[in-house]
Amino acid sequence: MSRYPPIPPSSLTMEQHHAYDEASEICSGVFGHKFLYKDEDGAFIGPFAPLLHTPSLVDPFFKLVVELGKLPGLPAPAREIAILATGTRFKSKYELYAHERVATSTSLAAAQIESIKSGKKPFGDDALDEQGEVAFDVAIELSHKHGPMTDANWKRAEQAFGKEGTAALIQYVGVYAYTCVLLNGVDAPVPEGESY
């Protein structure tokens, strides 16, 4: 059970209810039915449950998520590789659960996703393409070490994605590092009956 348990819609304050309605609309449009973000009572779970305890942050959080999705230059498989690689650094159960399901809607194979979730870059027959390898390496470096990204990875990212795509990659790692910290701080579980 999360340290900030899901709040049933009937128990929300007026401010929380406004945030809930806005978040529901955005989640439906951005995530669809790829993973569970509400429980059987309609209460938000995952990172969205603790956000409702700070309702003034719901709007900025979702604006960031929506705008992040509009950034050019980073293909969906590379984006999901970066998100999953970041999740492995923080061992964030819910993040890995949710984005494993999102990643399956891209061109990534199940074996590649499993390898990334375990913190290992896929190799051999399951090796990633060049963009995937760069996304993995950059996400692992940024989420694991202190200090600036190496020039080598910067140049690889610029070559693979251009300046815009590299900026998007860095933003994704940063936003999902924040999301993982939020999830781990509240000990957000994987939905009942689901695995990660």
Side-chain angles (χ1 to χ4, degrees):
M1 175 65 82
S2 174
R3 293 173 178 137
Y4 284 90
I7 308 169
S10 60
S11 300
L12 295 170
T13 66
M14 187 174 293
E15 186 183 15
Q16 287 172 326
H17 214 292
H18 175 73
Y20 174 91
D21 290 342
E22 180 182 2
S24 293
E25 186 176 329
I26 293 169
C27 279
S28 177
V30 173
F31 305 122
H33 300 292
K34 292 179 178 141
F35 61 91
L36 296 175
Y37 48 84
K38 288 183 180 179
D39 66 14
E40 63 279 353
D41 297 325
F44 273 114
I45 57 175
F48 316 116
L51 276 173
L52 283 178
H53 288 271
T54 53
S56 64
L57 294 180
V58 171
D59 181 58
F61 177 84
F62 278 102
K63 279 185 177 166
L64 180 60
V65 169
V66 168
E67 292 305 314
L68 193 60
K70 294 177 185 176
L71 293 177
L74 189 66
R79 178 190 68 220
E80 293 305 320
I81 289 166
I83 292 169
L84 288 170
T86 302
T88 66
R89 162 64 176 94
F90 293 95
K91 295 181 177 38
S92 180
K93 298 176 281 194
Y94 184 90
E95 193 261 12
L96 292 169
Y97 149 76
H99 282 276
E100 172 184 13
R101 280 137 184 89
V102 176
T104 60
S105 68
T106 71
S107 61
L108 294 171
Q112 291 174 315
I113 294 168
E114 284 305 312
S115 182
I116 296 163
K117 281 175 48 187
S118 70
K120 297 179 182 129
K121 185 165 37 174
F123 65 95
D125 291 342
D126 296 320
L128 300 169
D129 64 14
E130 180 62 22
Q131 286 185 326
E133 288 208 5
V134 171
F136 181 90
D137 291 343
V138 167
I140 291 294
E141 181 181 358
L142 288 176
S143 62
H144 279 74
K145 78 173 235 190
H146 300 287
M149 178 167 56
T150 60
D151 286 339
N153 272 341
W154 172 259
K155 288 175 186 167
R156 288 176 66 214
E158 243 187 338
Q159 187 171 12
F161 305 114
K163 279 216 183 277
E164 285 184 324
T166 300
L169 174 58
I170 293 166
Q171 291 282 352
Y172 268 98
V173 174
V175 168
Y176 280 89
Y178 163 78
T179 303
C180 288
V181 168
L182 177 63
L183 288 163
N184 285 346
V186 303
D187 195 19
V190 171
E192 194 171 333
E194 299 287 322
S195 62
Y196 75 100

